[in-house]
Amino acid sequence: MFNPTIRTFSTAAELMKKNTIVKHYAGSISYGTNLPTSDVDLRGIFCADPVNILTPFYTVRECSDVDEEDTKLYEMAHFFKLCLDCNPNIVETLWVDDSDITFRTDAYDFIRKHRSDFLSSKIAFTTSGYALAQLKRIKGHNKWINNPQPKEPPRQTHFVSLVQWYGEEKIMPRDFSLENFYQGYRLVPYGGDVLGLYKVDDVYTSFNPDTFALNTNFDGERTELPMPIAVVKFLKEEYKLQKEKHNQYWTWKNNRNEARSELEEAHGYDTKHAMHLVRLLRMGHEALETGQIIVKRPDAEELLAIRNGSMTYEEIVEYAEDMDDMVRNKLYKTTDLPKKPNMKRVAQLLMDTQFMVWNWV
């Protein structure tokens, strides 16, 4: 008879070590697209203790193994939820090739026997959604490759436009540059992003010469000031947008993998993202047609060729759009997969498996 008295509490790491039901190679190794330089990713499932499940005080969802690089295991109940959501990175655990499983138990084999119960036609949208996220990155990187950002960040002074000119000499708005009005000029806020530009004592400057940020502090009365030589507007939102783009570009450029960046430069887009895009769309297509998740890719050589640039940027975009249309708008409507999984059956499967791990049977 089970005694519900709580004697000890296990940390997530302890639960993972004592209650692991499966561990397997994931990522490129499981797909068959790994290279000598590829990372070794491991994924798996562990079961929490009754106290973690039956009370809301010690919830655990996942755990990374600090002793192994790129190793993450998911708590069983949380894993079931992610599987029911047809998360393509998670559901693979139930379909991974036997040769890539490094540790397994009867509890895992019991779940694997019923793996089809987790699949629904929702996988059309999750695989395509993940694939289109890759396409978005490809398009973004393509834009950066072909339109690189300058090393110097945007200056606030470059985002000041002329609204009205009162000076003696004529200046057209297109010819106005605040950087021509530095020493002996002062900016006075008029409200919002509108400022007055005044010719004043030489001790004042209209912007900081080091950062090119506008000097807009003003603690005097406007009635004490002479007629402004101009009314200008600081295009604040445009400046913030360009500054963010600059930061994103240089963060990407400074942190990208050297070998991967060479492929990007050679082909004009991130070929590794393209490989994953094609794989995800095909796996979604296969699931809707056959009710199977094919993890170990029979098209691994073709996928590696795509990673090496066998398809042009335009071909990748066209392929993604055509396959997304096929998966979402055609196969989704004709698949034999249910619109929703049988929740009662899966709930019973979860409890039966937990009882196996806890020795309640």
Side-chain angles (χ1 to χ4, degrees), residues 60-124:
V60 58
R61 293 179 179 273
E62 58 188 53
C63 187
S64 296
D65 193 333
V66 296
D67 297 325
E68 297 179 357
E69 188 176 357
D70 295 322
T71 297
K72 179 184 288 188
L73 274 69
Y74 295 89
E75 192 281 319
M76 189 189 299
H78 183 51
F79 173 85
F80 270 50
K81 174 64 169 63
L82 294 173
C83 271
L84 289 173
D85 288 338
C86 289
N87 182 314
N89 295 331
I90 301 299
V91 73
E92 291 173 0
T93 290
L94 298 181
W95 300 83
V96 68
D97 194 82
D98 284 335
S99 63
D100 290 318
I101 298 176
T102 62
F103 175 81
R104 68 195 302 164
T105 63
D106 290 342
Y108 167 72
D109 289 334
F110 180 62
I111 300 172
R112 188 177 172 104
K113 180 180 177 182
H114 300 280
R115 60 190 179 183
S116 295
D117 290 342
F118 292 90
L119 291 184
S120 68
S121 58
K122 184 178 180 179
I123 201 164

Side-chain angles (χ1 to χ4, degrees), residues 109-242:
D109 289 334
F110 180 62
I111 300 172
R112 188 177 172 104
K113 180 180 177 182
H114 300 280
R115 60 190 179 183
S116 295
D117 290 342
F118 292 90
L119 291 184
S120 68
S121 58
K122 184 178 180 179
I123 201 164
F125 300 97
T126 54
T127 52
S128 276
Y130 276 55
L132 293 183
Q134 300 286 341
L135 182 62
K136 184 177 180 180
R137 293 178 182 177
I138 289 171
K139 289 182 175 180
H141 291 186
N142 175 262
K143 187 182 296 183
W144 282 341
I145 291 168
N146 295 315
N147 299 280
Q149 290 279 326
K151 288 188 176 182
E152 292 296 322
R155 302 175 177 180
Q156 288 190 356
T157 52
H158 289 170
F159 294 85
V160 176
S161 64
L162 180 63
V163 177
Q164 185 67 48
W165 178 256
Y166 298 107
E168 295 181 1
E169 68 278 21
K170 292 183 178 180
I171 293 182
M172 298 293 290
R174 66 173 180 270
D175 299 325
F176 177 81
S177 172
L178 185 66
E179 292 181 13
N180 294 329
F181 302 90
Y182 164 57
Q183 190 76 35
Y185 292 90
R186 188 169 192 179
L187 290 171
V188 176
Y190 277 7
D193 298 329
V194 178
L195 308 111
L197 178 62
Y198 289 85
K199 182 75 176 74
V200 291
D201 193 279
D202 285 346
V203 298
Y204 294 104
T205 61
S206 60
F207 59 89
N208 185 310
D210 297 320
T211 64
F212 293 90
L214 306 185
N215 289 336
T216 57
N217 294 329
F218 179 71
D219 54 6
E221 293 291 335
R222 289 192 180 86
T223 54
E224 299 175 358
L225 294 169
M227 181 75 175
I229 63 169
V231 175
V232 298
K233 185 175 183 180
F234 174 40
L235 307 176
K236 184 187 297 182
E237 294 306 314
E238 186 175 343
Y239 166 73
K240 287 167 62 177
L241 178 62
Q242 293 303 318

